[in-house]
Amino acid sequence: MIDHAHDLASVRDATELLLSAVGKLDNASVTEPSRLPGWTRGHVLAHLARNADALVNVLEGRPMYVSGEARDADIERDAPRALDVHLADLRESAARFQAAADAPADWSRTVELRGGVTDSASRVPFRRWVEVELHHVDLGIGYELEDLPAEFTEREIAFLADRFSGHPEVPSTRLTDGTRAWSTGREADDGPGVTVTGPPADLLGWLAGRRTGAVLTVAGGPLPALPPL
């Protein structure tokens, strides 16, 4: 059972942590490359603000973005801004998201996200939590996958494993940190499939496209190649 109120509180905490960390930067560091190819830190910050507004659209029954082109143009437009402008935008857009989420609503309803993807409204706060946490890591300012809350890491591993479940290009794969286990990929057809073992942060990093998986232990075949998210 998804507890959207709990996830909204987690979003608030993660956002405050992000704002505190970003507030220690300067204008020059905002223009430096992030860990995402082709994006500066300003691009990441602009995306985070516009994603908050996009999820307000989702919660209020509007298209998430006008178009993919408009989404990209908004990020490019906002990326070069000064640090104080980014910070104000992040705070204000986060407040708009929280206000939209605080409005009385049927959290069991189905909402539409980008690209026609649908989900329960109750999962939207978790999706925002994912954006804030992973993009905080992407900024490359000292917050690493190992610093993520344990609950978040476990849930995001499960979410991504489910996302790749049944994918014809991903072999039947068992993921484990030695204590917990998750399954992903297509159904096993001629054996137990591949087992990938490693620390939770490295499992998440590989599934989320943030790490190569080089430190993971693989049995039953090579490390599967995952499709882009």
Side-chain angles (χ1 to χ4, degrees), residues 82-112:
L83 175 62
D84 61 339
V85 181
H86 277 296
L87 285 168
D89 193 17
L90 285 168
R91 288 192 189 95
E92 292 164 8
S93 59
R96 289 191 291 270
F97 173 74
Q98 291 288 342
D102 286 341
D106 174 12
W107 285 96
S108 67
R109 72 190 187 280
T110 298
V111 295
E112 184 171 336

Side-chain angles (χ1 to χ4, degrees), residues 141-225:
I141 56 175
Y143 191 65
E144 304 296 340
L145 293 172
E146 286 79 6
D147 298 317
L148 296 170
E151 177 205 349
F152 171 82
T153 297
E154 182 175 355
R155 287 178 61 188
E156 180 64 354
I157 290 172
F159 180 81
L160 292 173
D162 183 66
R163 180 166 180 167
F164 295 125
S165 182
H167 197 291
E169 296 177 11
V170 180
S172 175
T173 304
R174 179 177 182 268
L175 311 168
T176 180
D177 62 0
T179 302
R180 296 156 297 187
W182 304 265
S183 296
T184 193
R186 61 180 181 265
E187 292 187 11
D189 45 13
D190 56 357
V194 177
T195 297
V196 179
T197 305
D202 287 300
L203 290 171
L204 173 57
W206 172 61
L207 288 167
R210 266 66 178 184
R211 291 183 181 173
T212 64
V215 305
L216 299 172
T217 300
V218 187
L223 184 69

Side-chain angles (χ1 to χ4, degrees), residues 72-143:
D72 295 344
D74 286 347
I75 294 170
E76 290 295 334
R77 178 199 66 207
D78 294 343
R81 300 177 302 180
L83 175 62
D84 61 339
V85 181
H86 277 296
L87 285 168
D89 193 17
L90 285 168
R91 288 192 189 95
E92 292 164 8
S93 59
R96 289 191 291 270
F97 173 74
Q98 291 288 342
D102 286 341
D106 174 12
W107 285 96
S108 67
R109 72 190 187 280
T110 298
V111 295
E112 184 171 336
L113 298 146
R114 190 181 178 199
V117 173
T118 59
D119 203 351
S120 167
S122 62
R123 202 191 295 268
V124 171
F126 179 70
R127 287 179 176 271
R128 177 59 182 174
W129 190 12
V130 171
E131 293 288 326
V132 175
E133 293 285 13
L134 291 187
H135 286 315
H136 190 167
V137 174
D138 293 334
L139 288 171
I141 56 175
Y143 191 65

